[in-house]
Coordinates of all heavy atoms in Angstrom, one line a residue:
M1 N 69.6 -81.4 49.6 CA 69.7 -81.0 48.2 C 68.4 -80.5 47.8 O 67.4 -81.1 47.9 CB 70.1 -82.3 47.4 CG 70.2 -82.0 46.0 SD 70.9 -83.4 45.1 CE 69.5 -83.9 44.2
K2 N 68.4 -79.3 47.1 CA 67.1 -78.7 46.6 C 67.1 -79.1 45.1 O 68.0 -78.9 44.4 CB 67.1 -77.3 46.8 CG 65.8 -76.6 46.4 CD 65.7 -75.2 46.9 CE 64.4 -74.7 46.5 NZ 64.1 -73.3 47.0
L3 N 65.9 -79.5 44.7 CA 65.7 -79.8 43.3 C 65.3 -78.5 42.5 O 64.5 -77.7 43.0 CB 64.5 -80.8 43.1 CG 64.8 -82.2 43.8 CD1 63.5 -83.0 43.7 CD2 66.0 -82.9 43.1
N4 N 65.7 -78.4 41.3 CA 65.3 -77.3 40.5 C 64.2 -77.8 39.5 O 64.6 -78.6 38.6 CB 66.5 -76.7 39.6 CG 67.5 -76.1 40.6 OD1 67.1 -75.4 41.5 ND2 68.8 -76.2 40.2
M5 N 63.0 -77.4 39.8 CA 61.9 -78.0 39.0 C 61.5 -77.0 37.9 O 61.6 -75.8 38.1 CB 60.7 -78.3 39.9 CG 61.0 -79.2 41.0 SD 59.5 -79.4 42.0 CE 58.9 -80.9 41.3
T6 N 61.2 -77.5 36.7 CA 60.7 -76.6 35.6 C 59.3 -76.4 35.8 O 58.8 -75.3 35.4 CB 61.0 -77.2 34.3 OG1 60.4 -78.5 34.2 CG2 62.5 -77.4 34.0
A7 N 58.5 -77.2 36.4 CA 57.1 -77.1 36.7 C 56.8 -77.9 38.0 O 57.3 -79.0 38.1 CB 56.2 -77.6 35.5
P8 N 56.1 -77.2 38.9 CA 55.8 -77.9 40.2 C 54.9 -79.2 40.0 O 54.0 -79.1 39.1 CB 55.2 -76.9 41.0 CG 54.7 -75.9 40.1 CD 55.6 -75.9 38.9
M9 N 55.2 -80.2 40.7 CA 54.3 -81.4 40.8 C 53.1 -80.9 41.6 O 53.3 -80.2 42.6 CB 55.0 -82.6 41.4 CG 54.1 -83.7 41.6 SD 54.9 -85.1 42.4 CE 54.6 -84.7 44.1
E10 N 51.9 -81.2 41.2 CA 50.7 -80.8 41.9 C 49.6 -81.9 42.0 O 49.2 -82.4 41.0 CB 50.1 -79.5 41.2 CG 49.0 -78.8 41.9 CD 48.6 -77.5 41.3 OE1 47.8 -77.6 40.4 OE2 49.2 -76.5 41.7
V11 N 49.3 -82.2 43.2 CA 48.3 -83.3 43.4 C 47.0 -82.5 43.9 O 47.1 -81.6 44.7 CB 48.8 -84.2 44.5 CG1 47.7 -85.2 44.8 CG2 50.0 -85.0 44.0
G12 N 45.8 -83.0 43.4 CA 44.6 -82.4 43.9 C 43.9 -83.3 44.9 O 43.8 -84.5 44.7
I13 N 43.4 -82.7 46.0 CA 42.7 -83.4 47.0 C 41.4 -82.7 47.3 O 41.4 -81.5 47.6 CB 43.5 -83.5 48.4 CG1 44.8 -84.2 48.2 CG2 42.7 -84.1 49.5 CD1 45.8 -84.1 49.4
S14 N 40.3 -83.4 47.2 CA 38.9 -82.9 47.5 C 38.7 -82.9 49.0 O 39.0 -83.9 49.6 CB 37.9 -83.7 46.7 OG 36.6 -83.1 47.0
C15 N 38.2 -81.9 49.5 CA 37.9 -81.8 51.0 C 36.6 -81.1 51.3 O 36.2 -80.2 50.6 CB 39.1 -81.2 51.8 SG 39.6 -79.6 51.2
R16 N 36.0 -81.5 52.4 CA 34.7 -80.8 52.9 C 35.1 -79.6 53.7 O 34.3 -78.6 53.6 CB 34.0 -81.8 53.7 CG 33.4 -82.9 53.0 CD 32.6 -83.8 53.9 NE 32.2 -85.0 53.2 CZ 31.4 -85.9 53.6 NH1 30.9 -85.7 54.8 NH2 31.1 -87.0 52.9
D17 N 36.1 -79.6 54.5 CA 36.4 -78.5 55.3 C 37.7 -77.9 54.9 O 38.8 -78.3 55.4 CB 36.5 -79.0 56.8 CG 36.6 -77.8 57.8 OD1 37.0 -76.7 57.4 OD2 36.3 -78.0 59.0
L18 N 37.7 -76.9 54.0 CA 38.8 -76.4 53.4 C 39.8 -75.7 54.4 O 41.0 -75.8 54.3 CB 38.4 -75.4 52.3 CG 39.6 -74.8 51.4 CD1 40.4 -75.8 50.7 CD2 39.0 -73.8 50.4
E19 N 39.2 -74.9 55.3 CA 40.0 -74.2 56.3 C 40.8 -75.1 57.2 O 41.9 -74.9 57.5 CB 39.1 -73.2 57.1 CG 38.7 -72.0 56.3 CD 39.8 -71.2 55.7 OE1 40.8 -71.0 56.3 OE2 39.7 -70.9 54.4
R20 N 40.1 -76.2 57.6 CA 40.8 -77.2 58.5 C 41.9 -77.8 57.7 O 43.0 -78.1 58.3 CB 39.7 -78.2 58.9 CG 40.2 -79.2 59.9 CD 39.2 -80.0 60.5 NE 39.7 -81.0 61.4 CZ 38.9 -81.9 61.9 NH1 37.7 -82.1 61.6 NH2 39.5 -82.8 62.8
M21 N 41.7 -78.3 56.5 CA 42.7 -78.9 55.7 C 43.9 -78.0 55.4 O 45.0 -78.4 55.6 CB 42.1 -79.4 54.4 CG 41.3 -80.7 54.6 SD 42.2 -82.1 55.2 CE 43.1 -82.5 53.6
R22 N 43.5 -76.7 55.1 CA 44.6 -75.8 54.9 C 45.5 -75.6 56.1 O 46.7 -75.5 56.1 CB 44.0 -74.4 54.4 CG 45.0 -73.4 54.2 CD 44.5 -72.1 53.7 NE 45.6 -71.1 53.7 CZ 45.3 -69.8 53.4 NH1 44.2 -69.4 53.0 NH2 46.3 -68.9 53.4
N23 N 44.8 -75.4 57.3 CA 45.5 -75.3 58.5 C 46.4 -76.4 58.8 O 47.5 -76.3 59.3 CB 44.5 -75.1 59.7 CG 45.2 -74.9 61.0 OD1 45.9 -73.9 61.1 ND2 44.8 -75.6 62.0
F24 N 45.9 -77.7 58.5 CA 46.7 -78.9 58.8 C 47.9 -78.8 57.9 O 49.1 -79.1 58.4 CB 45.9 -80.1 58.4 CG 46.7 -81.4 58.5 CD1 47.1 -82.0 59.6 CD2 47.0 -82.0 57.2 CE1 47.9 -83.1 59.6 CE2 47.8 -83.2 57.2 CZ 48.2 -83.7 58.4
Y25 N 47.8 -78.5 56.7 CA 49.0 -78.6 55.8 C 50.0 -77.5 56.1 O 51.2 -77.7 56.0 CB 48.6 -78.5 54.3 CG 48.2 -79.8 53.8 CD1 46.8 -80.3 53.7 CD2 49.1 -80.7 53.3 CE1 46.5 -81.5 53.2 CE2 48.8 -82.0 52.7 CZ 47.5 -82.4 52.8 OH 47.2 -83.6 52.3
E26 N 49.5 -76.3 56.5 CA 50.3 -75.2 56.8 C 51.0 -75.3 58.1 O 52.1 -75.2 58.3 CB 49.6 -73.8 56.6 CG 49.3 -73.5 55.2 CD 48.5 -72.3 55.0 OE1 48.3 -71.5 56.0 OE2 48.1 -72.0 53.8
S27 N 50.1 -75.5 59.2 CA 50.6 -75.5 60.6 C 51.3 -76.8 61.0 O 52.3 -76.7 61.6 CB 49.4 -75.2 61.5 OG 48.9 -74.0 61.2
T28 N 50.7 -77.9 60.6 CA 51.3 -79.2 61.1 C 52.4 -79.7 60.1 O 53.4 -80.1 60.6 CB 50.2 -80.2 61.1 OG1 49.1 -79.8 61.9 CG2 50.7 -81.6 61.7
L29 N 52.2 -79.6 58.8 CA 53.2 -80.2 57.9 C 54.2 -79.1 57.3 O 55.2 -79.5 56.7 CB 52.5 -80.9 56.7 CG 51.6 -82.0 57.1 CD1 50.9 -82.6 55.9 CD2 52.3 -83.1 57.9
G30 N 53.9 -77.9 57.6 CA 54.9 -76.8 57.2 C 54.8 -76.3 55.8 O 55.7 -75.8 55.2
F31 N 53.7 -76.6 55.1 CA 53.5 -76.2 53.7 C 53.3 -74.7 53.7 O 52.9 -74.1 54.7 CB 52.4 -76.8 53.1 CG 52.5 -78.2 52.6 CD1 52.9 -79.2 53.5 CD2 52.3 -78.6 51.3 CE1 53.1 -80.5 53.1 CE2 52.4 -79.9 50.9 CZ 52.9 -80.9 51.8
E32 N 53.6 -74.0 52.6 CA 53.4 -72.6 52.5 C 52.3 -72.3 51.5 O 52.1 -73.0 50.5 CB 54.6 -71.9 51.9 CG 55.9 -71.9 52.8 CD 57.0 -71.1 52.2 OE1 56.9 -70.4 51.3 OE2 58.1 -71.4 52.7
F33 N 51.5 -71.3 51.9 CA 50.3 -70.9 51.1 C 50.9 -70.3 49.8 O 51.8 -69.5 49.7 CB 49.5 -69.8 51.8 CG 48.4 -69.2 50.9 CD1 47.2 -69.9 50.7 CD2 48.6 -67.9 50.4 CE1 46.3 -69.3 50.0 CE2 47.6 -67.4 49.6 CZ 46.4 -68.0 49.4
V34 N 50.2 -70.7 48.6 CA 50.6 -70.2 47.3 C 49.5 -69.4 46.7 O 49.8 -68.2 46.3 CB 50.9 -71.4 46.3 CG1 51.2 -70.9 44.9 CG2 52.1 -72.2 46.8
S35 N 48.3 -69.9 46.7 CA 47.2 -69.0 46.1 C 45.8 -69.6 46.4 O 45.8 -70.7 46.9 CB 47.3 -69.1 44.6 OG 47.1 -70.3 44.0
E36 N 44.8 -68.8 46.2 CA 43.4 -69.2 46.5 C 42.6 -68.7 45.3 O 42.8 -67.5 44.9 CB 42.9 -68.8 47.8 CG 41.5 -69.2 48.1 CD 41.0 -68.9 49.5 OE1 41.9 -68.7 50.4 OE2 39.8 -68.8 49.6
A37 N 41.7 -69.5 44.7 CA 40.9 -69.0 43.7 C 39.5 -69.7 43.7 O 39.4 -70.8 44.3 CB 41.6 -69.4 42.3
A38 N 38.5 -69.0 43.2 CA 37.2 -69.6 43.2 C 36.8 -69.9 41.7 O 37.2 -69.1 40.8 CB 36.2 -68.7 43.8
G39 N 36.1 -70.9 41.5 CA 35.5 -71.3 40.1 C 34.0 -71.3 40.2 O 33.4 -71.8 41.2
D40 N 33.4 -70.9 39.2 CA 31.9 -70.8 39.2 C 31.4 -72.3 38.8 O 32.1 -73.1 38.5 CB 31.3 -69.7 38.3 CG 31.7 -69.9 36.9 OD1 32.0 -71.0 36.4 OD2 31.6 -68.9 36.2
A41 N 30.0 -72.3 38.9 CA 29.4 -73.6 38.8 C 29.6 -74.2 37.3 O 29.8 -75.3 37.1 CB 27.9 -73.5 39.0
E42 N 29.6 -73.3 36.3 CA 29.7 -73.7 34.9 C 31.1 -74.3 34.7 O 31.3 -75.4 34.1 CB 29.6 -72.5 34.0 CG 29.7 -72.8 32.5 CD 29.4 -71.7 31.7 OE1 28.8 -70.7 32.0 OE2 29.9 -71.7 30.5
V43 N 32.2 -73.7 35.2 CA 33.5 -74.2 35.1 C 33.7 -75.6 35.8 O 34.2 -76.5 35.3 CB 34.6 -73.2 35.7 CG1 35.9 -73.9 35.7 CG2 34.5 -71.9 34.8
A44 N 33.1 -75.6 37.0 CA 33.1 -76.9 37.8 C 32.4 -78.0 37.1 O 33.0 -79.2 37.1 CB 32.5 -76.7 39.2
R45 N 31.3 -77.8 36.5 CA 30.7 -78.8 35.7 C 31.5 -79.2 34.4 O 31.6 -80.4 34.2 CB 29.2 -78.4 35.3 CG 28.2 -78.5 36.4 CD 26.8 -78.2 35.9 NE 26.6 -76.9 35.3 CZ 26.3 -75.8 35.9 NH1 26.1 -75.9 37.3 NH2 26.1 -74.7 35.4
E46 N 32.0 -78.3 33.7 CA 32.9 -78.6 32.6 C 34.1 -79.5 33.0 O 34.5 -80.3 32.2 CB 33.4 -77.3 32.0 CG 32.4 -76.5 31.2 CD 32.8 -75.3 30.6 OE1 34.1 -74.9 30.7 OE2 32.0 -74.4 30.1
L47 N 34.7 -79.2 34.1 CA 35.8 -80.0 34.6 C 35.4 -81.3 35.3 O 36.3 -82.1 35.7 CB 36.7 -79.1 35.6 CG 37.3 -77.9 35.0 CD1 38.0 -77.1 36.1 CD2 38.3 -78.3 34.0
G48 N 34.1 -81.5 35.5 CA 33.6 -82.7 36.1 C 33.9 -82.7 37.6 O 34.0 -83.8 38.3
L49 N 34.0 -81.5 38.2 CA 34.3 -81.5 39.7 C 33.0 -81.6 40.6 O 33.0 -82.3 41.5 CB 35.0 -80.1 40.0 CG 36.4 -80.0 39.3 CD1 36.9 -78.6 39.6 CD2 37.3 -81.0 39.9
C50 N 32.0 -80.8 40.3 CA 30.8 -80.8 41.0 C 29.7 -79.9 40.3 O 30.1 -79.3 39.3 CB 31.1 -80.2 42.4 SG 31.8 -78.5 42.4
D51 N 28.5 -79.9 40.8 CA 27.5 -79.1 40.2 C 27.4 -77.7 40.6 O 26.8 -76.8 40.0 CB 26.1 -79.7 40.5 CG 26.0 -81.0 39.8 OD1 26.5 -81.2 38.7 OD2 25.2 -81.9 40.2
S52 N 28.1 -77.3 41.7 CA 28.2 -76.0 42.2 C 29.6 -75.4 42.0 O 30.4 -76.0 41.4 CB 27.8 -76.0 43.7 OG 28.9 -76.7 44.4
G53 N 29.7 -74.1 42.4 CA 31.1 -73.6 42.4 C 32.0 -74.2 43.3 O 31.6 -75.1 44.1
Y54 N 33.3 -73.8 43.3 CA 34.3 -74.5 44.2 C 35.4 -73.5 44.5 O 35.5 -72.4 43.8 CB 34.9 -75.7 43.5 CG 35.7 -75.3 42.3 CD1 37.1 -75.2 42.4 CD2 35.1 -75.2 41.0 CE1 37.8 -74.8 41.2 CE2 35.8 -74.8 39.9 CZ 37.2 -74.6 40.0 OH 37.9 -74.3 38.9
T55 N 36.1 -73.8 45.5 CA 37.3 -73.0 45.9 C 38.5 -73.9 45.8 O 38.4 -75.0 46.2 CB 37.2 -72.4 47.3 OG1 36.0 -71.6 47.3 CG2 38.4 -71.5 47.7
V56 N 39.6 -73.4 45.3 CA 40.9 -74.2 45.3 C 42.0 -73.4 46.0 O 42.1 -72.2 45.8 CB 41.3 -74.5 43.8 CG1 41.5 -73.3 43.0 CG2 42.5 -75.4 43.8
V57 N 42.6 -74.1 46.9 CA 43.8 -73.5 47.6 C 45.0 -74.3 47.3 O 45.0 -75.5 47.3 CB 43.6 -73.4 49.1 CG1 44.9 -73.1 49.9 CG2 42.5 -72.5 49.5
R58 N 46.1 -73.6 46.9 CA 47.4 -74.3 46.6 C 48.4 -74.1 47.7 O 48.5 -72.8 48.1 CB 47.9 -73.8 45.3 CG 47.2 -74.4 44.1 CD 47.7 -73.8 42.8 NE 47.2 -74.5 41.6 CZ 46.0 -74.1 41.1 NH1 45.4 -73.0 41.5 NH2 45.5 -74.7 40.0
V59 N 49.0 -75.1 48.2 CA 50.1 -75.0 49.2 C 51.3 -75.7 48.7 O 51.1 -76.6 47.8 CB 49.6 -75.6 50.5 CG1 48.5 -74.7 51.2 CG2 49.1 -77.0 50.4
Q60 N 52.4 -75.4 49.2 CA 53.7 -76.0 48.6 C 54.7 -76.3 49.7 O 54.8 -75.6 50.7 CB 54.3 -74.8 47.7 CG 55.6 -75.2 47.0 CD 55.9 -74.1 46.0 OE1 55.2 -73.8 45.1 NE2 57.1 -73.6 46.2
T61 N 55.4 -77.4 49.4 CA 56.5 -77.8 50.3 C 57.7 -76.9 50.0 O 57.8 -76.2 49.0 CB 56.9 -79.3 50.0 OG1 57.6 -79.4 48.8 CG2 55.8 -80.2 50.1
P62 N 58.7 -76.9 50.9 CA 60.0 -76.1 50.7 C 60.7 -76.7 49.4 O 61.5 -75.9 48.9 CB 60.8 -76.4 51.9 CG 59.8 -76.8 53.0 CD 58.7 -77.5 52.3
Y63 N 60.4 -77.8 48.9 CA 61.1 -78.4 47.8 C 60.3 -78.1 46.4 O 60.8 -78.5 45.4 CB 61.2 -79.9 47.9 CG 62.1 -80.2 49.2 CD1 61.5 -80.8 50.2 CD2 63.5 -80.0 49.1 CE1 62.3 -81.0 51.4 CE2 64.2 -80.3 50.2 CZ 63.6 -80.8 51.4 OH 64.4 -81.1 52.5
G64 N 59.1 -77.5 46.5 CA 58.4 -77.1 45.4 C 57.3 -77.9 45.0 O 56.5 -77.6 44.1
E65 N 57.0 -79.1 45.6 CA 55.8 -80.0 45.3 C 54.6 -79.2 45.9 O 54.7 -78.6 47.0 CB 55.9 -81.3 46.0 CG 57.1 -82.2 45.5 CD 58.3 -82.0 46.3 OE1 58.4 -81.2 47.3 OE2 59.3 -82.7 46.0
R66 N 53.6 -79.2 45.1 CA 52.3 -78.5 45.5 C 51.2 -79.5 45.7 O 51.1 -80.5 45.0 CB 51.9 -77.5 44.4 CG 52.9 -76.3 44.3 CD 52.4 -75.3 43.4 NE 53.3 -74.2 43.4 CZ 53.1 -73.1 42.6 NH1 52.1 -73.0 41.8 NH2 54.0 -72.1 42.6
I67 N 50.3 -79.0 46.5 CA 49.0 -79.7 46.7 C 47.9 -78.8 46.5 O 47.9 -77.6 47.0 CB 48.9 -80.4 48.1 CG1 49.9 -81.5 48.3 CG2 47.5 -80.9 48.4 CD1 49.9 -82.2 49.6
K68 N 46.9 -79.2 45.7 CA 45.7 -78.4 45.4 C 44.6 -78.9 46.3 O 44.2 -80.0 46.0 CB 45.5 -78.4 43.9 CG 44.3 -77.7 43.4 CD 44.3 -77.7 41.9 CE 44.8 -78.9 41.2 NZ 44.7 -78.8 39.7
L69 N 44.1 -78.1 47.2 CA 42.9 -78.5 48.0 C 41.7 -77.9 47.4 O 41.6 -76.7 47.2 CB 43.1 -78.0 49.4 CG 44.3 -78.4 50.1 CD1 44.5 -77.6 51.5 CD2 44.4 -79.8 50.4
L70 N 40.7 -78.8 47.0 CA 39.5 -78.4 46.3 C 38.3 -78.6 47.2 O 38.2 -79.6 47.8 CB 39.3 -79.2 45.0 CG 40.4 -79.1 44.0 CD1 40.5 -80.4 43.1 CD2 40.1 -77.9 43.1
S71 N 37.4 -77.6 47.3 CA 36.3 -77.7 48.1 C 35.1 -77.1 47.3 O 35.1 -76.0 46.9 CB 36.5 -76.9 49.4 OG 35.3 -77.0 50.2
P72 N 34.0 -77.9 47.1 CA 32.8 -77.4 46.5 C 32.0 -76.5 47.5 O 32.2 -76.5 48.7 CB 31.9 -78.7 46.3 CG 32.5 -79.7 47.3 CD 33.9 -79.4 47.6
E73 N 31.3 -75.6 46.8 CA 30.5 -74.6 47.6 C 29.4 -75.3 48.5 O 29.1 -74.9 49.5 CB 29.9 -73.6 46.7 CG 30.8 -72.6 46.2 CD 30.1 -71.5 45.3 OE1 28.9 -71.5 45.2 OE2 30.9 -70.7 44.8
V74 N 28.9 -76.3 48.0 CA 27.8 -77.0 48.6 C 28.2 -78.4 49.0 O 28.8 -79.1 48.3 CB 26.5 -77.2 47.8 CG1 25.3 -77.2 48.7 CG2 26.3 -76.1 46.7

C-alpha cells in the first residue's frame, strides 16, 4: 500500500563523509536522490549547524520518506 503524503517526512543526519553516506543510502538501502544544495557560512551559523558552510543531500524512500544528509565544509 502506498501512502499519499501531503508533505514528506524528513529527518536530518549530520555526517563527515557525505559521499560515503549518500552511496550507502542509495546503493545499499535503495533510496533515490532528490536534491543537493550548498549553504554558506552565514546561513549555517544562523541555523546553528556549524561555523563554516555546508552541503545538504536529500534522498527518498519509494514511500516518500526523506532523509537529509548534512555535511559541514570543514
Side-chain angles (χ1 to χ4, degrees):
M1 178 172 113
K2 186 170 182 175
L3 299 175
N4 293 322
M5 303 177 95
T6 56
M9 179 180 84
E10 188 173 86
V11 175
I13 299 173
S14 180
C15 55
R16 291 183 188 185
D17 189 337
L18 184 59
E19 289 305 313
R20 187 173 178 190
M21 287 294 285
R22 179 178 169 184
N23 184 55
F24 172 75
Y25 277 95
E26 291 177 5
S27 299
T28 305
L29 299 179
F31 283 57
E32 293 182 19
F33 173 77
V34 175
S35 66
E36 182 172 338
D40 63 20
E42 183 178 335
V43 172
R45 282 190 297 273
E46 287 176 8
L47 296 173
L49 297 173
C50 58
D51 290 330
S52 62
Y54 66 96
T55 301
V56 59
V57 169
R58 286 179 173 85
V59 292
Q60 179 173 303
T61 72
Y63 300 105
E65 298 90 359
R66 290 186 179 180
I67 293 182
K68 182 172 29 182
L69 303 171
L70 298 154
S71 181
E73 285 181 4
V74 208

